[in-house]
Amino acid sequence: MAQESPKNSAAEIPVTSNGEVDDSREHGFNRDLKHSLPSGLGLSETQITSHGFDSTKEGVVEAGAFQGGQRTQTKGGPVILADEVKNPAMEKLELVRKWSLNTYKCTRQIISEKLGRGSRTVDLELEAQIDILRDNKKKYENILKLAQTLSTQLFQMVHTQRQLGDAFADLSLKSLELHEEFGYNADTQKLLAKNGETLLGAINFFIASVNTLVNKTIEDTLMTVKQYESARIEYDAYRTDLEELNLGPRDANTLPKIEQSQHLFQAHKEKYDKMRNDVSIKLKFLEENKVKVLHNQLVLFHNAIAAYFAGNQKQLEQTLKQFHIKLKTPGVDAPSWLEEQ
């Protein structure tokens, strides 16, 4: 006599009269599971759905945000957790990554240009103006150096003439038989020292103006030129990358890279065009300012030197008044800040 196998409630599969699987017990299980969870939890509500044994689909876990007892279901698939709070460390890491990639591309472009393998964008007219500016800067620096040497030597000569005039004046008082001769030489040396101080003031004014032109105005323009050259290298580097991608195959993997490369190329092209326009404007204004400044300073330098060696003290003083140059009186210190108040 065969024994009847014990029934297990978990293994029972209810079947309706038409042969379909009865899922009423499954819904009852889900209902009991929902009621067993405490209300008010901040977690996402989870629904577990099972299928019959004849289904080829796997179990699907659907997650929806809990909103006051209502459930919002999402389509089956992978669950993506979006982190809305930005991590500063990750942002810095991303900036370092972009900087490293940009540096690598620019370095590769520079090496390619030096080896004669890479192409570069050249604005012939602008490059010629930049070369002239750099050459003129070297020449102006040489003039500035020579003028400073002349000023130093003239200062020493004026100092010596003043001391010599004092020595002659002292001997004029102590030597009665040569009183007039020592007196003439003392007056001459003192006059030369005075004219030398006037000429020294004109030369120092010339040096200060040329120094401002060379080390501030021209240097500021050359800083913009350096930024323009950096923008040009970046533009050529990303242009080369885009050309290489366009020569390769076009498929689902390469098309996003080509679009990204096109976007970066366009951004660097706009930056390059802007810097080129800035350099052109600065070079134009620099040329106008340079001509105006050097014209006045060269006239001052010529008139002062000519009047000094001609012994024309009146013309020398008139030259300084023409350019509004005030000489510092020897032995008189500048007023303190308290006196100026």
Side-chain angles (χ1 to χ4, degrees), residues 241-294:
D241 277 355
L242 181 60
E243 291 175 354
E244 292 177 354
L245 289 174
N246 287 330
L247 292 176
R250 291 177 175 266
D251 51 27
N253 294 328
T254 59
L255 283 178
K257 294 181 180 180
I258 293 176
E259 292 179 359
Q260 183 182 11
S261 180
Q262 179 69 35
H263 176 72
L264 293 173
F265 164 76
Q266 189 64 30
H268 285 87
K269 183 178 184 299
E270 293 176 358
K271 180 181 178 181
Y272 167 73
D273 292 337
K274 179 181 179 300
M275 293 306 305
R276 181 175 59 181
N277 185 51
D278 291 347
V279 170
S280 299
I281 294 175
K282 281 202 170 186
L283 286 174
K284 179 181 178 181
F285 285 125
L286 174 63
E287 186 65 23
E288 296 175 357
N289 186 37
K290 181 191 70 174
V291 171
K292 181 179 179 181
V293 170
L294 287 181

Side-chain angles (χ1 to χ4, degrees), residues 201-267:
I203 293 177
N204 288 337
F205 185 78
F206 172 82
I207 291 173
S209 299
V210 175
N211 181 66
T212 301
L213 175 66
V214 173
N215 294 321
K216 291 186 178 180
T217 309
I218 295 181
E219 188 64 28
D220 177 70
T221 304
L222 289 178
M223 287 295 295
T224 306
V225 169
K226 290 180 181 179
Q227 296 175 0
Y228 156 75
E229 291 176 343
S230 298
R232 197 275 307 166
I233 293 174
E234 291 179 352
Y235 164 70
D236 283 338
Y238 284 92
R239 175 182 58 82
T240 302
D241 277 355
L242 181 60
E243 291 175 354
E244 292 177 354
L245 289 174
N246 287 330
L247 292 176
R250 291 177 175 266
D251 51 27
N253 294 328
T254 59
L255 283 178
K257 294 181 180 180
I258 293 176
E259 292 179 359
Q260 183 182 11
S261 180
Q262 179 69 35
H263 176 72
L264 293 173
F265 164 76
Q266 189 64 30

Side-chain angles (χ1 to χ4, degrees), residues 84-278:
E84 297 181 356
V85 181
K86 295 183 179 180
N87 191 348
M90 295 302 294
E91 291 182 355
K92 291 182 179 179
L93 185 62
E94 181 66 16
L95 291 176
V96 171
R97 187 190 68 83
K98 291 181 179 180
W99 175 83
S100 302
L101 183 61
N102 185 72
T103 303
Y104 164 74
K105 291 179 181 293
C106 294
T107 304
R108 185 183 63 178
Q109 177 67 24
I110 293 173
I111 294 176
S112 299
E113 291 178 3
K114 290 185 177 180
L115 294 177
R117 298 176 182 176
S119 60
R120 56 168 295 182
T121 304
V122 179
D123 189 331
L124 296 178
E125 182 179 358
L126 188 61
E127 293 289 339
Q129 294 177 0
I130 293 174
D131 291 340
I132 292 174
L133 175 62
R134 285 174 172 158
D135 184 60
N136 286 339
K137 183 174 183 290
K138 292 180 180 179
K139 294 178 180 179
Y140 296 154
E141 286 175 342
N142 184 46
I143 290 177
L144 186 61
K145 182 179 178 181
L146 294 174
Q148 289 172 342
T149 303
L150 177 63
S151 175
T152 301
Q153 294 174 347
L154 181 60
F155 175 80
Q156 304 234 351
M157 186 181 72
V158 169
H159 181 68
T160 303
Q161 288 174 338
R162 190 181 299 110
Q163 289 181 331
L164 190 58
D166 293 338
F168 282 148
D170 183 63
L171 289 172
S172 174
L173 297 175
K174 296 179 179 179
S175 301
L176 298 178
E177 63 279 4
L178 297 174
H179 171 73
E180 293 184 0
E181 287 80 359
F182 280 122
Y184 294 151
N185 281 277
D187 294 340
T188 302
Q189 294 300 321
K190 289 181 180 180
L191 179 60
L192 289 175
K194 182 180 179 181
N195 292 343
E197 291 173 354
T198 306
L199 177 62
L200 191 61
I203 293 177
N204 288 337
F205 185 78
F206 172 82
I207 291 173
S209 299
V210 175
N211 181 66
T212 301
L213 175 66
V214 173
N215 294 321
K216 291 186 178 180
T217 309
I218 295 181
E219 188 64 28
D220 177 70
T221 304
L222 289 178
M223 287 295 295
T224 306
V225 169
K226 290 180 181 179
Q227 296 175 0
Y228 156 75
E229 291 176 343
S230 298
R232 197 275 307 166
I233 293 174
E234 291 179 352
Y235 164 70
D236 283 338
Y238 284 92
R239 175 182 58 82
T240 302
D241 277 355
L242 181 60
E243 291 175 354
E244 292 177 354
L245 289 174
N246 287 330
L247 292 176
R250 291 177 175 266
D251 51 27
N253 294 328
T254 59
L255 283 178
K257 294 181 180 180
I258 293 176
E259 292 179 359
Q260 183 182 11
S261 180
Q262 179 69 35
H263 176 72
L264 293 173
F265 164 76
Q266 189 64 30
H268 285 87
K269 183 178 184 299
E270 293 176 358
K271 180 181 178 181
Y272 167 73
D273 292 337
K274 179 181 179 300
M275 293 306 305
R276 181 175 59 181
N277 185 51
D278 291 347

